[in-house]
Amino acid sequence: MTHEIAVIPGDGIGQEVTPAAVKVLEAIETVDFEFVEGEAGDAVKDETGEALPQETREIAADADATLFGAAGETAADVILPLRDVVGSFANVRPARSYPGLDAVQPDTDIVFIRENTEGVYTGIESEITEGVRTLTRVITAEASRDIAEYGFDYAKQNGYEDVTIAHKANVMRQTDGLFLETAEAVAEDRGADYDTALMDALAMHLVMTPEEYDVIVCPNLAGDMLSDLSAGLVGGLGLLPSANIGEENALFEPVHGSAPDIAGKGVANPSAMILSAAMLLEHLGYDEEGDQVRTAVESVLESGPRTPDLGGDAGTTAVTDAVIDEL
């Protein structure tokens, strides 16, 4: 069976790390892929007036899964619609420490399950009058239930014991109150153990004792912020992959941005993008191959070569080739 994969490099270092991930996938002999490339991002908008052309939307919608690199100034006009195209409701963001790296917290192994459709990212903003603008935060019981069910399922399927529901219901009583009530009801219906945590206090505890947490179910903005915070615990954004999961489609991307300061220099760390490709493999049912890719990345992270963000002097191509050698 051949799987069609949409490949959207985007801007900046997305143009360098996305081909690296494709190269790794092509090296896996047990899976057949057909890659279809689409354009999106700042340069495309400058040329066409659209950051995410309709053709690219259709490529992602028709594919079995999508690999996306990064977007620059047009990020909100690219990644949010792309997530909508694949019907994504869950954003899965693992944050792990790896042997051999100088991590702030070497015992970190957390997976953030982030609601991916609403909160403050619905784009409902208004200017009431000059100098006064508003942002509407949307929380629904349906989306809260979907993400809670996915989070508890993910924990069970992947052998994680602890599930924490992050919220700020003591202040946002209606919106986060609904999120918390709904997630707790899901846990109680399943007889599942769980904890709850105020998201601001959770940020502190993640810095001090991340080993106490396994799976954290979050509203949209909280998941975005807390997962980025955890990147600092394990060695930086260059190590964090992510998956945007829908009912029938999915999109995989590194958590890092377009990094214009190093774009075009050939020194971008491809690890997060390659680890995102490992998540893509697992999503398609190739657990063994996904684990092989992840193990290869871990071996290279431990023994080198490494890119400058991890204290090395190797380039993107050298690291990618080392991962393929490990495979």
Side-chain angles (χ1 to χ4, degrees):
M1 178 179 181
T2 299
H3 298 280
E4 183 175 301
I5 307 299
V7 178
I8 307 172
D11 297 313
I13 63 171
Q15 293 284 335
E16 301 165 62
V17 299
T18 309
V22 170
K23 191 175 180 181
V24 170
L25 289 176
E26 288 177 330
I28 299 172
E29 298 178 353
T30 54
V31 187
D32 291 326
F33 292 109
E34 178 184 351
F35 299 99
V36 182
E37 187 162 328
E39 296 183 330
D42 298 351
V44 179
K45 184 175 183 181
D46 290 341
E47 293 176 8
T48 68
E50 290 184 290
L52 185 63
Q54 182 62 29
E55 180 182 359
T56 303
R57 294 172 186 257
E58 293 173 0
I59 288 171
D62 294 340
D64 295 313
T66 296
L67 276 177
F68 174 70
E73 296 297 323
T74 57
D77 300 317
V78 176
I79 189 57
L80 296 182
L82 269 178
R83 290 171 180 166
D84 186 59
V85 165
V86 302
S88 169
F89 67 92
N91 185 209
V92 183
R93 293 189 171 191
R96 294 183 57 198
S97 298
Y98 295 101
L101 297 185
D102 188 18
V104 174
Q105 290 286 9
D107 294 325
T108 303
D109 185 2
I110 304 169
V111 181
F112 294 89
I113 306 296
R114 168 191 172 195
E115 202 288 317
N116 215 22
T117 66
E118 51 186 29
V120 296
Y121 287 5
T122 52
I124 307 174
E125 296 187 88
S126 304
E127 183 173 9
I128 302 301
T129 186
E130 185 176 354
V132 180
R133 301 179 186 182
T134 64
L135 170 64
T136 300
R137 187 171 192 262
V138 178
I139 300 291
T140 66
E142 181 180 6
S144 300
R145 185 178 303 108
D146 286 346
I147 197 64
E149 290 177 346
Y150 186 89
F152 281 101
D153 285 344
Y154 183 95
K156 183 177 181 179
Q157 292 167 6
N158 291 276
Y160 288 102
E161 294 182 359
D162 298 321
V163 176
T164 302
I165 303 168
H167 67 95
K168 190 65 176 170
N170 60 330
V171 174
M172 295 180 284
R173 296 175 181 174
Q174 291 296 320
T175 51
D176 264 25
L178 178 60
F179 180 85
L180 177 60
E181 292 166 10
T182 306
E184 287 185 311
V186 168
E188 289 163 7
D189 286 345
R190 294 168 175 238
D193 293 331
Y194 70 96
D195 293 312
T196 67
L198 294 170
M199 62 181 70
D200 49 348
L202 178 58
M204 178 191 71
H205 290 298
L206 285 173
V207 171
M208 298 176 67
T209 55
E211 68 276 5
E212 294 182 359
Y213 300 93
D214 289 341
V215 172
I216 302 178
V217 178
C218 309
N220 204 336
L221 178 60
D224 198 0
M225 302 289 286
L226 292 173
S227 60
D228 277 16
L229 177 149
S230 294
L233 305 180
V234 302
L237 287 170
L239 298 172
L240 264 63
S242 76
N244 300 277
I245 304 297
E247 294 293 344
E248 298 181 358
N249 205 336
L251 180 148
F252 301 84
E253 58 173 326
V255 174
H256 64 67
S258 61
D261 56 322
I262 62 169
K265 298 181 180 179
V267 296
N269 185 350
S271 299
M273 188 78 245
I274 297 173
L275 290 169
S276 297
M279 296 179 78
L280 180 151
L281 284 164
E282 292 167 340
H283 173 73
L284 294 176
Y286 299 101
D287 291 349
E288 182 178 351
E289 287 83 355
D291 186 61
Q292 288 171 352
V293 171
R294 186 174 294 105
T295 300
V297 171
E298 291 177 1
S299 178
V300 173
L301 287 173
E302 182 174 10
S303 59
R306 298 175 183 164
T307 45
D309 61 308
L310 299 178
D313 57 7
T316 307
T317 299
V319 172
T320 304
D321 289 345
V323 171
I324 292 171
D325 288 343
E326 289 291 331
L327 284 173

